[in-house]
Amino acid sequence: QVQLVESGGGLVQAGGSLRLSCAASGRTFSVYVMGWFRLAPGKEREFVAAIRWTDGSQYYADSVKGRFTSSRDNAKNTAYLQMNNLKPEDTAVYYCAARVASGGFPAVHETEYSYWGQGTQVTVSS
């Protein structure tokens, strides 16, 4: 089992920045990919970013490329999502997720992840 706890959401003006954290505990050695997804009102949950735990390889959705950066601290078993130049359309509940099965990268589908955080609200005002 892997437990994920997110933090760092909040309210920010357009153009501002936030950094989300996702702290993993439990069988963290089994984590292969950490992904970030978001769920906006009236929309389906969508992929945002993924980072491969072993070598830090990253992959981003086109909508956030160049603005968001994913990173990880293996010693702290924590993944981060730095979000810059935020836009109102970035408003959503953000979730981190852990994939424990090795395989292809990136993992952009929800079904590829076994463990999920509780979600953290990000609201961007115009």
Side-chain angles (χ1 to χ4, degrees):
Q1 294 281 342
V2 177
Q3 293 79 41
L4 303 174
V5 177
E6 301 173 36
S7 60
L11 172 64
V12 65
Q13 289 188 331
S17 299
L18 283 174
R19 189 177 79 156
L20 306 183
S21 299
C22 177
S25 61
R27 298 173 61 88
T28 57
F29 61 87
S30 63
V31 174
Y32 180 65
V33 176
M34 289 291 282
W36 293 90
F37 290 77
R38 64 187 181 186
L39 180 62
K43 296 185 178 180
E44 296 185 350
R45 188 154 57 181
E46 65 173 351
F47 170 80
V48 175
I51 185 166
R52 187 158 54 192
W53 210 246
T54 51
D55 64 1
S57 295
Q58 302 155 45
Y59 185 80
Y60 299 94
D62 288 343
S63 58
V64 307
K65 199 173 297 182
R67 300 187 297 122
F68 290 13
T69 303
S70 181
S71 62
R72 91 277 192 236
D73 185 330
N74 294 64
K76 295 182 178 180
N77 292 318
T78 300
Y80 304 96
L81 185 67
Q82 177 67 42
M83 306 184 294
N84 298 328
N85 190 22
L86 283 161
K87 304 175 181 180
E89 51 263 42
D90 294 319
T91 295
V93 177
Y94 283 71
Y95 299 86
C96 64
R99 173 176 175 170
V100 297
S102 62
F105 178 83
V108 303
H109 302 293
E110 293 182 49
T111 54
E112 297 181 88
Y113 294 85
S114 302
Y115 303 99
W116 291 81
Q118 81 283 5
T120 186
Q121 177 71 47
V122 171
T123 303
V124 185
S125 63
S126 57

